[in-house]
Amino acid sequence: MTCPVSPQATRSVDAIAASSRETRGAVERFERVGGSVLFGLFGVGLFDQPMLPPVSAALEATGRARNQPWERAARTAAADQLIYHGDDAERDAESRRLMVLHRDVKGVGPDGERYSALNPHAWNWILYSTFFVQRGAYLALTGDRRSPATDQAIWDHYLSKTRGLHLPGNSQPIANYADLTVHYDRMISELRATPALEAATATVRRAPRPDFLPALAAPLWWVSAPTFGYIAMVLGCGIMHPEVRAKMPITWTARQDRHFRVLTAALRLAYDRLPASITDSPMARNRRKYERLVDRYRAVGLTSFAPETGADRSRRRVRG
């Protein structure tokens, strides 16, 4: 005698399968956004990092963020590409390099408090901030609706990519997404309008001419830079937590809110319509091509080395 499967059980299995497809799709889209050149347009969202006083003190001590903004941005972008889109060996090597180099970032800030880049409070703040910026850009560019399941799935994915940057023991990043949001909300009370934040904001508003642009392009740069800076400010601040945005040295109005909606709608259209070969970063484009080649070569192989039967030959002729 067989046990009948109830309609409720069938619906439960179907719901689990649908949820699994939803979370896999969200992770794939989150990953693709992280490998898109359009992601960089939301970089001002990272300005919650220098709002934390010890982070600001470290940035001001080195002076690179203030005095070499383009060079530092290029180095940060390169490291991110290796960690998020490189293979395991490159990801681990880059993570180890960053951990070692940050050991030298320590001292005493203007407030008399000691700071260290590898202090878990500050170090994990950088990881959390970076995740929320990628998450904000992912939602803006895809129009996906968030859910507890997809939020946890993309956070798990991010943690797996950054595992080489995790501190040991109790200093590891928060694992549960719901707990992460509670922690982030609690951290907002520690954020300030710091010197590093003021310098970063001024750089976006009046960005110096990048070294990769020839001197002949200087007049065009000075004319267009304020517009580009405004777009970057609107997009980055638009994905910020509202209470964090309120601490930015800008005035966010209904006008900026409208501009954010228009800009994200246009970027979403471009993201949807333009081929990935155009919007992907070089590393992501190369990774996608590699994965296609792997799939192609795997498709050539047999599924069994057992002697072929007449039925196997018939199926092969049909497929051919």
Side-chain angles (χ1 to χ4, degrees):
M1 179 177 177
T2 60
C3 179
V5 178
S6 68
Q8 291 85 354
T10 302
R11 283 196 295 270
S12 178
V13 171
D14 290 344
I16 292 172
S19 176
S20 179
R21 288 193 298 271
E22 178 190 16
T23 55
R24 283 200 305 271
V27 168
E28 289 171 1
R29 291 188 292 275
F30 177 80
E31 174 84 0
R32 188 191 161 198
V33 166
S36 170
V37 295
L38 300 179
F39 174 44
L41 297 174
F42 296 87
V44 170
L46 296 169
F47 283 14
D48 59 352
Q49 295 179 10
M51 288 186 188
L52 193 66
V55 174
S56 173
L59 291 171
E60 288 293 281
T62 64
R64 297 186 186 94
R66 180 186 288 269
N67 302 318
Q68 303 172 5
W70 287 109
E71 293 89 337
R72 185 177 185 275
R75 289 192 296 269
T76 299
D80 287 348
Q81 289 294 302
L82 288 170
I83 289 173
Y84 301 127
H85 303 287
D87 59 26
D88 288 345
E90 292 299 337
R91 180 183 304 117
D92 292 344
E94 182 64 11
S95 297
R96 287 194 300 271
R97 186 184 74 88
L98 292 176
M99 295 286 279
V100 169
L101 292 181
H102 277 91
R103 291 175 186 170
D104 298 330
V105 182
K106 54 188 175 180
V108 179
D111 56 3
E113 296 291 328
R114 298 195 65 82
Y115 66 84
S116 168
L118 293 180
N119 177 284
H121 193 59
W123 183 260
N124 286 335
W125 175 244
I126 302 301
L127 290 175
Y128 301 153
S129 164
T130 305
F131 166 75
F132 278 114
V133 171
Q134 185 169 340
R135 176 183 175 275
Y138 148 69
L139 294 175
L141 289 176
T142 64
D144 278 9
R145 294 184 180 276
R146 50 165 298 190
S147 72
T150 57
D151 280 337
Q152 185 64 53
I154 63 175
W155 175 236
D156 289 341
H157 178 74
Y158 178 84
L159 287 176
S160 72
K161 289 286 189 177
T162 60
R163 65 185 181 276
L165 296 174
H166 298 176
L167 297 173
N170 293 331
S171 298
Q172 292 185 24
I174 297 166
N176 181 270
Y177 179 83
D179 294 340
L180 171 66
T181 60
V182 171
H183 175 77
Y184 189 96
D185 289 344
R186 194 162 50 237
M187 285 288 297
I188 294 175
S189 64
E190 299 185 31
L191 305 185
R192 304 283 184 271
T194 62
L197 174 65
E198 297 282 355
T201 305
T203 295
V204 173
R205 286 173 163 166
R206 297 181 296 276
R209 176 176 59 85
D211 291 340
F212 54 78
L213 287 181
L216 289 175
L220 179 61
W221 173 257
W222 296 123
V223 170
S224 58
T227 300
F228 293 145
Y230 177 78
I231 291 172
M233 195 68 70
V234 167
L235 289 172
C237 291
I239 63 172
M240 279 182 171
H241 188 296
E243 292 181 37
V244 176
R245 185 169 61 224
K247 298 189 177 191
M248 285 285 292
I250 65 167
T251 302
W252 187 264
T253 65
R255 178 171 174 264
Q256 277 76 38
D257 204 50
R258 287 195 302 273
H259 288 172
F260 174 74
R261 290 196 299 271
V262 170
L263 286 168
T264 51
L267 287 175
R268 191 177 304 158
L269 184 65
Y271 183 76
D272 286 340
R273 300 291 178 83
L274 292 175
S277 58
I278 293 177
T279 60
D280 276 350
S281 69
M283 181 72 81
R285 189 181 306 123
N286 189 60
R287 168 63 60 180
R288 206 178 301 278
K289 181 178 179 181
Y290 170 80
E291 290 171 352
R292 286 197 300 269
L293 288 172
V294 168
D295 290 341
R296 189 181 305 170
Y297 288 137
R298 281 179 175 163
V300 174
L302 296 173
T303 57
S304 172
F305 282 170
E308 195 174 52
T309 66
D312 292 332
R313 286 191 290 272
S314 297
R315 280 194 296 270
R316 182 155 49 81
R317 282 195 296 271
V318 170
R319 286 197 303 269

